[in-house]
């Protein structure tokens, strides 16, 4: 998953990863260290340059001022979202307690009665802003399960493609084209250009198309030929194991 994220990133992009998302953070750091010296990497409200850092300690959960040891700039948390403007070269990674076939994410809760939720999520936090204002964004989940990947989310905290309505995002005046992909432990989805429904882009090594279909709570568009997701190269694996994730959090 980290390699799939890194391979999509380009030098010069502004890459923003929220709290408690170790896999996207590892992918962003891998892209920065491997081929993105001019990437702006946001870690815990800091703009960081990490190319000369031998080991990135506790990479997966850094959400405090400890990240300032690598920073070029520091942003006050209460001002970051207020000052956020459309970033044409920005990339954001959005999670969800539910993600549906049209790329909508729910961080609010589970249940038909919002006053009496069966499960309360953390709330949208900054995802509503960031998914609207960054030029590119992806959905990421660490659980490929029918309870998470559903046909229709109970609530929308980050809007993807609605129910597939044509020109929905343009009509709402949203500056980007919507989510690019859903990245899971089993596969990568992209979205059909006409229906805006999730389409199987690749399966990870050792995973069958049938496994993806049976583990997903919505109907998937499956092309005739589904490639294998490109994993980390030998060089990228060294970076992951020695500089980014020296303690093996991702292997766990």
């Amino acid at each position: 998953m980290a390699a799939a994220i890194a391979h999509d990133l380009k030098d010069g992009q502004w890459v923003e990863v929220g709290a408690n998302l170790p896999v996207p953070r590892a992918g962003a750091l891998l892209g920065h260290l491997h081929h993105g010296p001019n990437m702006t990497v946001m870690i815990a409200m800091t703009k960081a340059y990490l190319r000369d850092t031998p080991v990135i300690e506790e990479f997966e959960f850094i959400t405090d001022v400890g990240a300032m040891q690598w920073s070029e700039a520091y942003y006050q948390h209460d001002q970051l979202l207020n000052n956020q403007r459309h970033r044409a070269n920005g990339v954001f990674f959005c999670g969800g307690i539910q993600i549906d076939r049209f790329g909508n994410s729910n961080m609010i809760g589970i249940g038909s009665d919002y006053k009496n939720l069966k499960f309360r999520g953390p709330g949208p936090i900054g995802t509503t802003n960031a998914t609207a204002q960054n030029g590119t964004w992806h959905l990421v989940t660490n659980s490929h399960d029918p309870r998470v990947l559903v046909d229709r989310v109970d609530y929308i905290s980050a809007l993807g493609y609605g129910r597939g309505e044509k020109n929905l995002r343009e009509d709402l005046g949203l500056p980007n084209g919507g989510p690019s992909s859903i990245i899971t432990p089993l596969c990568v989805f992209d979205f059909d250009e006409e229906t805006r429904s999730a389409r199987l882009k690749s399966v990870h090594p050792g995973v069958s198309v049938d496994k993806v279909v049976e583990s997903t709570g919505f109907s998937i568009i499956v092309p005739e030929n589904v490639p294998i997701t490109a994993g980390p190269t030998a060089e990228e694996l060294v970076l992951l194991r020695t500089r980014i994730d020296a303690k093996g959090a991702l292997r766990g």
Side-chain angles (χ1 to χ4, degrees):
M1 291 174 69
I5 288 168
H7 294 163
D8 193 67
L9 295 174
K10 300 175 180 61
D11 193 22
Q13 289 180 318
W14 175 297
V15 185
E16 188 174 350
V17 179
N20 301 326
L21 290 173
V23 174
R25 182 168 294 176
L29 293 172
L30 179 59
H32 175 49
L33 296 179
H34 182 259
H35 58 264
N38 300 301
M39 283 170 52
T40 297
V41 182
M42 291 292 293
I43 300 178
M45 303 307 122
T46 70
K47 173 185 171 184
Y49 179 83
L50 298 157
R51 300 267 297 184
D52 301 325
T53 303
V55 180
I56 303 163
E57 297 288 346
E58 307 292 346
F59 85 95
E60 68 269 35
F61 294 121
I62 293 175
T63 56
D64 58 32
V65 294
M68 289 183 69
Q69 64 185 298
W70 309 304
S71 68
E72 294 179 319
Y74 182 77
Y75 299 82
Q76 288 183 272
H77 195 188
D78 61 346
Q79 294 182 7
L80 180 66
L81 296 179
N82 289 337
N83 294 336
Q84 189 168 323
R85 298 293 183 267
H86 177 52
R87 298 190 185 113
N89 68 336
V91 184
F92 182 72
F93 299 94
C94 180
I97 55 176
Q98 288 179 324
I99 296 170
D100 70 23
R101 63 185 291 198
F102 294 107
N104 304 297
S105 171
N106 170 20
M107 296 279 279
I108 295 169
I110 306 297
S112 58
D113 180 3
Y114 73 91
K115 294 182 180 179
N116 187 29
L117 293 170
K118 297 176 183 178
F119 173 80
R120 181 175 294 281
I125 317 176
T127 59
T128 306
N129 296 58
T131 54
Q133 294 174 320
N134 282 283
T136 303
W137 60 285
H138 305 270
L139 292 153
V140 181
T141 177
N142 285 331
S143 179
H144 193 128
D145 182 284
R147 295 175 301 171
V148 176
L149 296 171
V150 298
D151 186 69
R152 188 166 192 159
V153 294
D154 290 352
Y155 304 93
I156 295 177
S157 53
L159 177 66
Y161 301 108
R163 296 306 295 169
E165 300 95 330
K166 195 172 183 63
N167 300 324
L168 172 67
R169 297 185 65 85
E170 294 89 339
D171 292 344
L172 292 172
L174 296 172
N176 65 50
S180 297
S181 63
I182 308 172
I183 302 165
T184 86
L186 300 183
C187 68
V188 178
F189 297 105
D190 60 10
F191 295 92
D192 180 74
E193 292 80 5
E194 293 296 321
T195 66
R196 294 303 188 184
S197 188
R199 175 177 59 193
L200 191 55
K201 181 180 181 181
S202 67
V203 293
H204 299 337
V207 177
S208 68
V209 171
D210 288 344
K211 174 65 174 175
V212 173
V213 171
E214 70 183 30
S215 301
T216 307
F218 54 75
S219 178
I220 307 166
I221 298 173
V222 181
E224 185 175 345
N225 296 307
V226 180
I228 303 298
T229 309
T233 65
E235 181 184 2
E236 290 171 333
L237 201 56
V238 170
L239 289 172
L240 282 167
R241 289 180 172 174
T242 63
R243 294 185 62 188
I244 297 170
D245 185 20
K247 296 184 178 179
L250 297 183
R251 293 196 294 278

